Amino acid sequence: MDVKEKIKQIEKQIEETVKDIESSQTLLEIKMKFLGKTGEISSLMKNMRDVPPEERPSMGKLLNALRQWTEEKFDKLEAGLKSIELKKKYAEEKIDVTMPGIPVPDGAYHPNTLITNELISIFLGMGFEIFEGPEIENDYYNFTALNTPQDHPARDMQDTFYLAENLLLRTQTSAGQIRVMETKKPPIKILSPGKVYRSDDDATHSPMFSQMEMLVVDKGLTLCDLQGMLDEFVKKIFGSDVKTRLRPSYFPFTEPSVEVDVSCFECGGKGCRLCKGTGWIEVGGAGMVNRRVLEGCNIDPDEYTGFAFGLGIERIAMLKYGINNMKLLFEGDTRFLKQFKG
Ligand code: FA5
């Protein structure tokens, strides 16, 4: 067919196809049919090779004019359609600011987080710094440097998860005491929260739980300073009427060692179900840092003394919020968790 004829035909075809077009997407598809790499106009241009050389300039002119005409036509149509589509989109997306909102339920802090934050704020207020040790520890920091050598019977007090011969999941945040004393010289005032692991599982014990450790090393510290600090912290967390009591105990890394009891805040010390009739509730272990531990960290025990205290966060949360099963703290049941608003 004669090229001029073909051009006319294409123009007519374009006019007809775009006549009723309503979407810019369809327009784009049609545009490709004519102007795309394999489109009709491009094919015509490729056929120029077959046109005799003397006719090429005039033919080229005609084809360029067709191309330009087509491009302008599609551009114009596209602009018009896009503007209609945008208006339609805006109309559909119109926001009625008078409509009632969709309520987003309030989140709640986990009881462990509440207790941890409370403890941190109490101890930061007393001038403590925070230290976080690793959860995967080696035997040295978790036991040996804490005066608990390989064959020490106290290793049986904490059923340990071993990862390799010398590598374990720490059983106590006390491991952090050594890491701190190795690198920092007294005066030391450290608070160390974190997860610990033991092969232990019942209503009041979990294989993974959280502890919070306090360590103070300075000149002239005595057990009275420990009791003074405990009194202060216990009153802040459980109430101003609550008293503390130190009971003799044993930990290899403290000497003397004590168990820390608080007077039952439920019955005021008269005896109830919570304190099992004793009037006292145990909250953690403590003591004066054993001089062998200080020596191992190159701190002179004749110049410095220290005290340490370790408690279980879940245990404090259970006491404070009256939770009777530790499992509730790990199950993630939102019916339970949403009761705790911080
Ligand atoms: C210790 O872990 C010592 N490191 C504490 C310490 C620190 C003593 C500094 C002296 C100086 P104990 O094994 O008693 O002590 O654990 C401390 C607290 O962790 C307990 O009072 C209890 O509240 C909590 N606890 C122990 N085992 C579990 C468990 N399986 N699940 C939940 N809480 C636990």
Side-chain angles (χ1 to χ4, degrees):
M1 190 197 293
D2 170 43
V3 176
K4 283 188 188 152
E5 265 311 297
K6 183 73 188 162
I7 288 175
K8 271 206 189 109
Q9 201 187 56
I10 289 178
E11 282 175 351
K12 203 167 147 215
Q13 217 181 331
I14 290 175
E15 294 282 14
E16 258 166 37
T17 20
V18 301
K19 205 166 56 198
D20 303 319
I21 238 152
E22 281 179 358
S23 103
S24 58
Q25 181 57 36
T26 325
L27 185 77
L28 188 72
E29 282 157 24
I30 296 169
K31 184 177 170 183
M32 294 316 285
K33 216 174 118 201
F34 291 100
L35 288 169
K37 262 191 190 150
T38 51
E40 301 224 16
I41 297 178
S42 312
S43 316
L44 260 187
M45 287 188 147
K46 274 184 206 136
N47 289 346
M48 283 280 282
R49 283 187 231 111
D50 310 329
V51 175
E54 62 281 11
E55 288 178 28
R56 272 186 209 162
S58 61
M59 246 352 110
K61 235 175 165 177
L62 285 174
L63 285 178
N64 278 337
L66 169 69
R67 189 190 188 103
Q68 202 180 341
W69 175 83
T70 315
E71 276 171 359
E72 279 167 9
K73 181 150 198 85
F74 278 104
D75 287 351
K76 218 164 137 193
L77 280 167
E78 193 183 343
L81 284 172
K82 282 221 162 126
S83 134
I84 294 168
E85 282 168 356
L86 207 61
K87 275 192 196 130
K88 205 168 141 204
K89 188 170 167 238
Y90 287 157
E92 278 166 7
E93 284 177 0
K94 206 165 166 183
I95 296 165
D96 180 355
V97 289
T98 63
M99 291 273 283
I102 301 162
V104 179
D106 279 352
Y109 281 116
H110 191 281
N112 277 5
T113 311
L114 291 174
I115 297 291
T116 306
N117 289 349
E118 204 174 335
L119 289 171
I120 287 176
S121 101
I122 293 172
F123 282 94
L124 289 190
M126 294 186 199
F128 280 72
E129 285 172 64
I130 294 185
F131 169 82
E132 284 183 288
E135 284 175 37
I136 294 178
E137 262 302 1
N138 60 45
D139 197 273
Y140 177 77
Y141 289 105
N142 197 79
F143 288 125
T144 312
L146 287 165
N147 195 30
T148 322
Q150 197 59 245
D151 53 357
H152 198 291
R155 288 201 179 204
D156 291 345
M157 285 158 71
Q158 300 173 2
D159 292 315
T160 312
F161 290 116
Y162 279 89
L163 303 173
E165 203 186 321
N166 189 30
L167 220 52
L168 46 89
L169 291 174
R170 67 174 172 195
T171 59
Q172 48 188 350
T173 43
S174 301
Q177 284 188 27
I178 306 300
R179 289 188 178 273
V180 169
M181 287 191 283
E182 263 182 2
T183 50
K184 213 172 142 48
K185 291 300 145 212
I188 293 171
K189 244 176 148 180
I190 286 290
L191 181 68
S192 185
K195 291 194 184 74
V196 297
Y197 303 82
R198 291 182 196 177
S199 175
D200 214 352
D201 197 9
D202 60 37
T204 53
H205 294 88
S206 156
M208 184 205 79
F209 62 104
S210 314
Q211 283 191 339
M212 179 86 79
E213 188 96 1
M214 294 107 221
L215 170 71
V216 183
V217 185
D218 206 344
K219 284 183 181 159
L221 293 176
T222 69
L223 209 59
C224 292
D225 296 302
L226 168 66
Q227 175 130 32
M229 183 201 75
L230 291 172
D231 269 342
E232 180 80 11
F233 131 77
V234 160
K235 283 188 183 357
K236 285 206 167 114
I237 198 146
F238 291 117
S240 54
D241 308 335
V242 179
K243 296 186 192 64
T244 50
R245 173 177 86 169
L246 303 184
R247 224 168 357 100
S249 184
Y250 176 76
F251 297 101
F253 39 93
T254 45
E255 179 56 38
S257 300
V258 292
E259 218 66 71
V260 180
D261 291 346
V262 297
S263 59
C264 182
F265 39 83
E266 191 76 19
C267 62
K270 286 190 209 81
C272 68
R273 232 171 59 112
L274 185 67
C275 59
K276 299 193 184 93
T278 64
W280 294 92
I281 297 168
E282 184 194 314
V283 289
M288 297 306 292
V289 180
N290 192 312
R291 55 184 292 131
R292 295 187 62 174
V293 174
L294 291 173
E295 271 165 6
C297 297
N298 286 324
I299 295 176
D300 181 357
D302 293 323
E303 192 180 354
Y304 292 103
T305 49
F307 59 77
F309 171 49
L311 54 77
I313 302 278
E314 287 79 3
R315 187 164 171 81
I316 303 285
M318 287 171 81
L319 290 170
K320 186 156 177 174
Y321 300 119
I323 301 163
N324 60 7
N325 190 336
M326 198 175 278
K327 297 278 172 302
L328 287 166
L329 292 169
F330 296 100
E331 280 167 350
D333 187 332
T334 50
R335 288 168 305 177
F336 166 73
L337 293 174
K338 71 182 173 195
Q339 300 174 59
F340 301 91
K341 300 263 149 133

